[in-house]
Amino acid sequence: MRPYLFTALFVLLCWPLRWVFPWHGYSFFLFLPAVALSSAWFGLGAGLFALALTSLAATFFFINPVYALWLSPQELPPLALYALTSIGIIGACEGLRLAARELSAAWRGRQDRRRTANGWAVTGSAATGLAATGAKAGARPRSGSVDMWRGFVLCTIFINHMPGNVFEALTFRNIGLSDSAEAFVFLSGVAMALAYRKKFESGRETDVSLSLLKRAVKLYGIHILMSLAGLAIFAAGAIIWRDPALMAMHGRDLYVKDAGTFVVGLVSLGHQLGYFNILPLYIVLIAFVPGLLYLARIRLELMLAASVLLYAATRFYGWNLPNWPIPGGWFFNPFAWQLMMAIGIAAGQMMQQHSLPRSKSLFVLSCVIVFVGAFVVTNGFDLSFGVRDAVYGWLDLDKTNLGIGRLVHFLGLAYFIYGLGVSGRLAASRLLQPLVVLGRNGLLVFVLLSLLAALGQVLLLSGHNGLGVQLALVVGGLCFFYAAARLSEAERAAGLIGRARPWGRRAGFLQAQPVLADSPGERALAPVSKASASPRR
């Protein structure tokens, strides 16, 4: 009870800040210190209680109409941004608490690892013990090279989502006909095959379908919260710098005109904000995965043929999911982009079966495709041949419908990288381990980069576009993503070790108690008898 009383006290102590700072629609963000203090001192429960209490106070005392527990559609984005920010703070505090707890336990264990007569020592191979625990926890198989390229793509998305920064000229879309969108969907398909194909082929179709459904529902909720939070960032920028133009582009103007219709369109996925429209595509593509896996189980060529047929029909008949209330179709047409997901699944299956061919002729062809793409995009390598203007009109580079030019270029680029055979070595190098870490925590990093990129757009569009600001945004942002990903992994590892430890007494068994011991190689959990666990003299 005491932590919750102190949490309420922290909230009350933050209350006078509303009279210190100017009043506006985001004043309830002054409660964030209370959330941080409660989470840091008392843990997850107190942090969530602080979030609930401050959200209730914000709704009743800060958000119009005041003194009423009712939210108008206009007030949803600021509250969503506050909730996401608070959840991030709570998660960071909990991760630090768990990591600190495990570090403290490890230090104590090294000091008196043999002191407890009835205990557990950490000896042998950690890979065996932790792998068994990970298997029980439902850990999915991973590929270091896939994680590395996914981390690279996430960094590219972050930079490209802030138009006008100097680093944008360094991304690979400036030397090719495709960009990070194709790589994002392709790698998602590869990951789907690595995670679910064997389960699906072993007769666990229902389990795989339910797992995919849960993931789709999770991504849907994240998309709604992330879109509202991103909208709130632009609205805050428009208020602070008195720049209404920030709310007049990329679908944000509908919120200004009719917030209620905007919310309905957002929830129905019929209205998608610019730079926040990749997750709806991914959600729909997840619905295709069971069918694609089923066809791949029969024959891989059958899956690819069905996917190509749907793509061709989509391009011929103009199929797309409709926007609402604004006329038109989705920016990323899922009926066309499912082909890229299918190709990724096929590549992932061949990776698992070690049947992905290495052909000199295909490698030479991929080199030609990459060279031609670079030649066209750079206008003859800046020799002013007028190639770009002459060729772009008939290359079919339609991003909405995954144009043939984009598709062919990406496949050529992907096979070129595969043919070089360097992905495994790059993923194993210490220099690129940060990319692997980012790729392993793709969803977390994607949410963070989307919101930070929105903040970067606000700063750059409002005139704060100096080189120092751009460096801070890009370099600082990438370092922040890496720190958040490492913290997330430390939190998961702490929870994994905690679940691996048996606690309590059982008749006829040794009393289990965590004691860590040094070993020259890898480590694992192994029971220690009374005789071998006697303390050193």
Side-chain angles (χ1 to χ4, degrees):
M1 189 64 182
R2 182 179 299 176
Y4 298 100
L5 292 176
F6 273 99
T7 296
L9 178 62
F10 292 153
V11 174
L12 289 176
L13 290 176
C14 290
W15 196 278
L17 295 176
R18 63 179 291 185
W19 290 289
V20 177
F21 296 95
W23 175 272
H24 52 73
Y26 292 74
S27 293
F28 57 88
F29 275 70
L30 297 172
F31 285 127
L32 287 177
V35 176
L37 287 173
S38 302
S39 303
W41 283 13
F42 303 117
L44 179 63
L48 294 176
F49 176 71
L51 171 58
L53 185 61
T54 54
S55 298
L56 187 65
T59 304
F60 194 78
F61 294 104
F62 287 78
I63 296 177
N64 290 321
V66 295
Y67 309 124
L69 292 176
W70 181 81
L71 279 174
S72 65
Q74 291 90 340
E75 306 299 338
L76 282 176
L79 196 59
L81 178 60
Y82 176 78
L84 275 179
T85 306
S86 299
I87 290 171
I89 292 173
I90 294 169
C93 291
E94 188 66 13
L96 289 172
R97 284 168 56 85
L98 286 173
R101 186 185 306 164
E102 291 304 323
L103 286 174
S104 176
W107 183 84
R108 290 196 304 269
R110 284 194 293 268
Q111 298 299 315
D112 55 0
R113 57 184 177 271
R114 300 285 185 182
R115 187 175 59 189
T116 305
N118 298 322
W120 281 61
V122 178
T123 57
S125 170
T128 305
L130 291 182
T133 308
K136 293 179 181 178
R140 298 175 183 173
R142 304 200 68 93
S143 167
S145 58
V146 172
D147 286 331
M148 179 197 68
W149 287 115
R150 182 156 45 189
F152 173 78
V153 169
L154 289 170
C155 295
T156 304
I157 292 174
F158 173 59
I159 294 172
N160 287 338
H161 278 202
M162 294 184 291
N165 73 86
V166 294
F167 296 94
E168 190 180 15
L170 303 178
T171 59
F172 67 92
R173 73 175 182 183
N174 296 286
I175 56 173
L177 301 174
S178 60
D179 60 22
S180 54
E182 286 83 5
F184 181 88
V185 177
F186 172 79
L187 291 173
S188 297
V190 173
M192 288 290 181
L194 297 178
Y196 296 114
R197 185 189 68 84
K198 289 184 177 180
K199 294 180 182 178
F200 198 90
E201 292 186 354
S202 65
R204 299 170 60 187
E205 299 93 339
T206 303
D207 292 342
V208 170
S209 299
L210 289 176
S211 178
L212 290 170
L213 177 61
K214 291 178 182 177
R215 182 162 183 80
V217 172
K218 177 182 179 181
L219 291 175
Y220 173 79
I222 290 175
H223 167 70
I224 299 300
L225 281 176
M226 195 171 66
S227 297
L228 291 173
L231 181 65
I233 291 173
F234 280 95
I239 292 172
I240 294 172
W241 287 292
R242 293 178 173 83
D243 186 2
L246 291 173
M247 296 296 292
M249 59 186 79
H250 296 300
R252 296 185 290 271
D253 54 330
L254 179 61
Y255 170 77
V256 177
K257 297 174 183 175
D258 189 345
T261 302
F262 170 85
V263 171
V264 174
L266 180 67
V267 171
S268 67
L269 301 183
H271 187 74
Q272 301 165 19
L273 299 176
Y275 299 100
F276 288 87
N277 44 22
I278 191 70
L279 280 187
L281 168 68
Y282 190 42
I283 292 168
V284 176
L285 291 182
I286 287 177
F288 282 93
V289 171
L292 293 173
L293 291 176
Y294 176 79
L295 294 175
R297 184 171 63 182
I298 300 173
R299 193 171 181 85
L300 194 61
E301 293 83 355
L302 177 62
M303 179 198 72
L304 291 174
S307 180
V308 170
L309 182 62
L310 177 57
Y311 172 82
T314 297
R315 298 301 306 272
F316 184 78
Y317 292 106
W319 296 341
N320 196 354
L321 292 178
N323 285 337
W324 186 90
I326 299 174
W330 282 24
F331 182 79
F332 289 105
N333 184 350
F335 299 124
W337 280 84
Q338 54 78 30
L339 176 58
M340 186 61 73
M341 176 70 82
I343 294 172
I345 291 176
Q349 177 171 327
M350 287 188 286
M351 285 173 57
Q352 282 186 324
Q353 298 172 342
H354 305 286
S355 61
L356 195 59
R358 290 185 183 274
S359 167
K360 289 184 178 180
S361 58
L362 287 178
F363 182 71
V364 171
L365 178 61
S366 69
C367 292
V368 172
I369 292 173
V370 171
F371 176 82
V372 171
F375 187 81
V376 171
V377 171
T378 60
N379 203 18
F381 302 115
D382 292 327
L383 298 177
S384 301
F385 291 145
V387 175
R388 182 185 179 109
D389 296 333
V391 173
Y392 255 51
W394 54 271
L395 272 182
D396 187 18
L397 300 176
D398 182 11
K399 189 169 186 176
T400 293
N401 293 300
L402 187 60
I404 296 294
R406 300 178 67 93
L407 176 62
V408 171
H409 176 267
F410 175 77
L411 293 179
L413 177 62
Y415 197 86
F416 173 73
I417 294 173
Y418 173 71
L420 291 176
V422 298
S423 293
R425 291 193 293 272
L426 290 176
S429 67
R430 293 177 61 88
L431 181 64
L432 297 181
Q433 281 306 298
L435 292 180
V436 179
V437 173
L438 293 180
R440 282 201 302 260
N441 299 271
L443 182 57
L444 170 65
V445 173
F446 182 78
V447 172
L448 294 177
L449 76 85
S450 297
L451 297 179
L452 189 56
L455 176 61
Q457 285 189 46
V458 170
L459 291 174
L460 296 178
L461 291 173
S462 61
H464 302 80
N465 53 2
L467 182 59
V469 174
Q470 296 182 38
L471 283 170
L473 280 172
V474 176
V475 179
L478 295 177
C479 293
F480 170 65
F481 303 150
Y482 177 68
R486 288 300 301 268
L487 182 60
S488 176
E489 291 195 341
E491 183 178 355
R492 288 199 302 270
L496 189 67
I497 294 173
R499 288 195 299 272
R501 292 173 178 159
W503 299 91
R505 298 174 179 266
R506 289 188 180 181
F509 290 88
L510 299 176
Q511 179 185 356
Q513 191 165 340
V515 181
L516 301 179
D518 293 327
S519 65
E522 294 173 313
R523 300 174 298 176
L525 291 173
V528 180
S529 65
K530 285 187 176 184
S532 62
S534 57
R536 290 183 178 179
R537 300 292 183 184

